[in-house]
C-alpha cells in the first residue's frame, strides 16, 4: 500500500504540474497576443477617441449613415463603448454651450459704457478661467453688446492702442487670425479694424506725440504724389515686411521715417479696403462650387468676380470642408508638400511675406496647419 502510494505520488505530481504548465502557457500566449492591442490603447486612447468622434461628427454633418461596424473594427471598440464615448462628448458640448451662454450674459452685465468694452479681467476671475478661454467662449449672437467701428487710425485713442498692445503682449504668443479675433472681442471692435492697428504697432512705436501728429498733420508737409507712393511701395517691398530699412527709404524719398511708415500702413490698408468689397462675391462663388462638387476652380472664380486668381485666393473667407493637416509618417505626402512649396515659390518669392490664407485656400487645408 505504501509502495503504491509512493509510486502514484510522482504521477499525481506530474499530472498537476502538467495542468499548471498548460494553464501558464495559455496565459503567456494570451498575454503576448494582447500586448499590441493593450500597447496601442495605452499609448493613444485619447487620440483614438478624438479621431473616432471627429469621424462620427463628419458623418452627422453630412447626414450620412454612420458605419458603426466599420468604426468598431477600426478602433477595436464595441458599439456600446462608442455610444458611451459619443454621449460623453455630447455632454461636454452641452456644458460648453451652457458656459458660453453664462459668459456672454455676464459680459453684458460687466460692459463699461465709458470704456466701450467689457471688464474681461473681472469676468475671468469670477469664472475662475483664463481670460483667453473666456474670450473664446464668448458668443456675440447671445450678447447685446454692439461692436465699435474704428476703420481709420484717427478713430483710435492712444489709450486704446496701448491696451491692445498690452493685451497681445501678455496673452498672445503666436499671431493667428483666431488670436486676433479674440483681441477684437477684448477691445470690442470689428475684427477687420483691429488687424491694421496691430500691424502698425508691429513696426512702429505709438506715442502721444505721434498720435497727435496723425490727427493734426503739419500743413507744411508736402503731399504724397502717386509717383511718391509707388516708389515707397517699391522700396518697402524690396525687403521682408518685418525688416524694412526705413532709414534708407526715408533718405531716398526725402521724408521722415515716421511719415514713410505711416504712409506705407495707409496704402496697405487702402489695398485691403479695395479688395474687401469683393469678399462676399468670392465667398458666394466658392460656396456655390463647393456645394456642387466639393472642388474649387479658382480660374472660374476669377472670371466670375473680375479679380486675379491670386487675389481671390487671398481674400476668400469661406472655410467649410477644409481638412486638418496632421503631420505623421503615415499621413505625410511629398506630392502635397511639393504642391504647397511650388505655390509659395511661384506667388511669394523671397522677400515677399507669405499670405497663408491664400495657401490655405489653394490647398483647402486649415490655415494654422499650413503656417
Amino acid at each position: 500500500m505504501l509502495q503504491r502510494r509512493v509510486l502514484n505520488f510522482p504521477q499525481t505530481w506530474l499530472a498537476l504540474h502538467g495542468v499548471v504548465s498548460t494553464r501558464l502557457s495559455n496565459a503567456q500566449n494570451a498575454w503576448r497576443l494582447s500586448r499590441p492591442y493593450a500597447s496601442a490603447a495605452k499609448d493613444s486612447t485619447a487620440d483614438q477617441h478624438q479621431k473616432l468622434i471627429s469621424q462620427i461628427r463628419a458623418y452627422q454633418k453630412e447626414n450620412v449613415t454612420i458605419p458603426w461596424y466599420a468604426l468598431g473594427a477600426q478602433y477595436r471598440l464595441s458599439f456600446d463603448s462608442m455610444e458611451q464615448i459619443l454621449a460623453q462628448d455630447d455632454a461636454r458640448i452641452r456644458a460648453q454651450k451652457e458656459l458660453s451662454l453664462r459668459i456672454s450674459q455676464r459680459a453684458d452685465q460687466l460692459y463699461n459704457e465709458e470704456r466701450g468694452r467689457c471688464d474681461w479681467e473681472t469676468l475671468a476671475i469670477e469664472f475662475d478661467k483664463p481670460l483667453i478661454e473666456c474670450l473664446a467662449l464668448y458668443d456675440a449672437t447671445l450678447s447685446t453688446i454692439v461692436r465699435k467701428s474704428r476703420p481709420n487710425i484717427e478713430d483710435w485713442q492712444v489709450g486704446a492702442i496701448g491696451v491692445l498692445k498690452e493685451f497681445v503682449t501678455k496673452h498672445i504668443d503666436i499671431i493667428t487670425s483666431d488670436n486676433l479675433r479674440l483681441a477684437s472681442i477684448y477691445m470690442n471692435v470689428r475684427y477687420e479694424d483691429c488687424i491694421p492697428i496691430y500691424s502698425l504697432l508691429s513696426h512702429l512705436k505709438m506715442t502721444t506725440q505721434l498720435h497727435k501728429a496723425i490727427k493734426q498733420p503739419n500743413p507744411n508737409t508736402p503731399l504724397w504724389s502717386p509717383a511718391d507712393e509707388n516708389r515707397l511701395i517699391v522700396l518697402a517691398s524690396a525687403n521682408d515686411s518685418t525688416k524694412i530699412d526705413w532709414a534708407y527709404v526715408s533718405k531716398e524719398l526725402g521724408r521722415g521715417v515716421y511719415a514713410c511708415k505711416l504712409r506705407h500702413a495707409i496704402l496697405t490698408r487702402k489695398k485691403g479696403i479695395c479688395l474687401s468689397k469683393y469678399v462676399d462675391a468670392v465667398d458666394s462663388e466658392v460656396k456655390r462650387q463647393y456645394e456642387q462638387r466639393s472642388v474649387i476652380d479658382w480660374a472660374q472664380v476669377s472670371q466670375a468676380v473680375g479679380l486675379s486668381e491670386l487675389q481671390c485666393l487671398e481674400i476668400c473667407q469661406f472655410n467649410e470642408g477644409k481638412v486638418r493637416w496632421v503631420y505623421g509618417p503615415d499621413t505625410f505626402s511629398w506630392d502635397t508638400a511639393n504642391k504647397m512649396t511650388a505655390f509659395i515659390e511661384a506667388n511669394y518669392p523671397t522677400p515677399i511675406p507669405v499670405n497663408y490664407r491664400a495657401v490655405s485656400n489653394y490647398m483647402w487645408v486649415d490655415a494654422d496647419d499650413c503656417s
Side-chain angles (χ1 to χ4, degrees):
M1 185 69 179
L2 180 61
Q3 184 179 8
R4 183 178 178 182
R5 289 178 63 186
V6 171
L7 291 173
N8 286 339
F9 177 76
Q11 295 173 1
T12 305
W13 181 84
L14 287 172
L16 180 62
H17 182 269
V19 171
V20 173
S21 299
T22 302
R23 290 178 178 173
L24 181 60
S25 176
N26 290 340
Q28 289 174 335
N29 289 334
W31 176 75
R32 289 193 189 97
L33 291 172
S34 67
R35 282 183 66 189
Y37 296 93
S39 176
K42 180 179 179 182
D43 292 341
S44 56
T45 299
D47 292 340
Q48 291 293 325
H49 287 182
Q50 190 56 49
K51 289 180 181 178
L52 170 65
I53 291 170
S54 298
Q55 281 191 263
I56 293 175
R57 298 301 183 201
Y59 286 125
Q60 291 175 335
K61 185 176 182 181
E62 297 174 6
N63 198 23
V64 176
T65 302
I66 301 173
W68 293 105
Y69 293 105
L71 291 174
Q74 179 181 350
Y75 294 97
R76 305 190 187 107
L77 292 170
S78 65
F79 178 78
D80 291 340
S81 297
M82 289 188 290
E83 277 200 325
Q84 183 180 1
I85 292 169
L86 196 59
Q88 291 173 350
D89 192 60
D90 287 336
R92 179 191 63 80
I93 293 174
R94 284 195 299 272
Q96 189 176 37
K97 287 183 177 179
E98 292 173 2
L99 181 59
S100 175
L101 174 61
R102 289 167 52 207
I103 286 177
S104 303
Q105 291 175 341
R106 185 56 178 151
D108 282 359
Q109 298 169 356
L110 292 174
Y111 179 77
N112 187 311
E113 189 66 40
E114 184 178 348
R115 294 196 304 174
R117 57 189 178 88
C118 168
D119 186 354
W120 287 102
E121 286 76 11
T122 299
L123 188 147
I125 292 173
E126 288 183 3
F127 283 87
D128 193 23
K129 289 188 176 295
L131 190 147
I132 284 290
E133 186 176 343
C134 293
L135 291 169
L137 287 167
Y138 173 77
D139 188 347
T141 62
L142 304 174
S143 172
T144 59
I145 297 175
V146 179
R147 295 281 184 93
K148 303 292 183 181
S149 175
R150 295 176 180 173
N152 303 311
I153 188 171
E154 56 267 21
D155 298 327
W156 288 75
Q157 299 294 328
V158 176
I161 294 175
V163 170
L164 172 61
K165 188 171 185 179
E166 182 182 359
F167 170 81
V168 172
T169 302
K170 186 181 296 185
H171 298 285
I172 296 180
D173 296 328
I174 302 174
I175 299 300
T176 63
S177 57
D178 287 339
N179 284 339
L180 284 180
R181 183 183 65 82
L182 299 181
S184 70
I185 293 173
Y186 179 80
M187 297 300 300
N188 192 37
V189 298
R190 298 186 309 171
Y191 169 76
E192 56 269 25
D193 294 342
C194 202
I195 295 175
I197 292 297
Y198 182 76
S199 177
L200 183 64
L201 290 173
S202 300
H203 312 298
L204 180 66
K205 183 177 180 181
M206 182 60 65
T207 62
T208 304
Q209 182 180 2
L210 177 59
H211 188 264
K212 184 178 180 180
I214 293 170
K215 301 191 75 170
Q216 298 177 353
N218 187 345
N220 297 323
T221 302
L223 297 176
W224 286 85
S225 68
D228 291 334
E229 291 179 343
N230 289 334
R231 194 162 180 223
L232 170 62
I233 292 173
V234 171
L235 289 170
S237 62
N239 301 98
D240 186 276
S241 61
T242 60
K243 300 177 181 178
I244 297 175
D245 187 349
W246 288 110
Y248 173 75
V249 174
S250 170
K251 182 180 177 181
E252 288 293 311
L253 293 175
R255 296 173 183 267
V257 171
Y258 278 156
C260 294
K261 285 184 177 181
L262 285 174
R263 197 63 188 174
H264 183 260
I266 292 170
L267 292 174
T268 304
R269 169 74 171 158
K270 283 182 177 179
K271 179 184 177 183
I273 292 174
C274 290
L275 291 178
S276 64
K277 63 184 180 182
Y278 292 97
V279 171
D280 290 341
V282 171
D283 287 355
S284 297
E285 176 62 21
V286 171
K287 182 180 180 181
R288 184 189 68 79
Q289 291 190 26
Y290 177 80
E291 290 176 347
Q292 284 185 352
R293 54 180 182 267
S294 298
V295 178
I296 312 302
D297 184 346
W298 291 102
Q300 187 176 344
V301 176
S302 172
Q303 292 177 358
V305 300
L307 295 176
S308 68
E309 290 186 39
L310 184 60
Q311 288 174 326
C312 293
L313 287 164
E314 289 183 341
I315 67 174
C316 177
Q317 298 179 7
F318 180 78
N319 293 315
E320 186 175 336
K322 285 188 177 180
V323 298
R324 295 303 306 271
W325 199 348
V326 181
Y327 295 94
D330 298 329
T331 59
F332 181 78
S333 167
W334 276 111
D335 291 339
T336 305
N338 289 335
K339 179 182 177 182
M340 183 178 75
T341 303
F343 175 80
I344 291 174
E345 290 178 348
N347 296 284
Y348 304 101
T350 305
I352 299 176
V354 178
N355 185 318
Y356 282 105
R357 174 184 286 177
V359 178
S360 168
N361 288 329
Y362 178 74
M363 303 296 295
W364 212 247
V365 172
D366 184 83
D368 290 339
D369 292 345
C370 285
S371 58

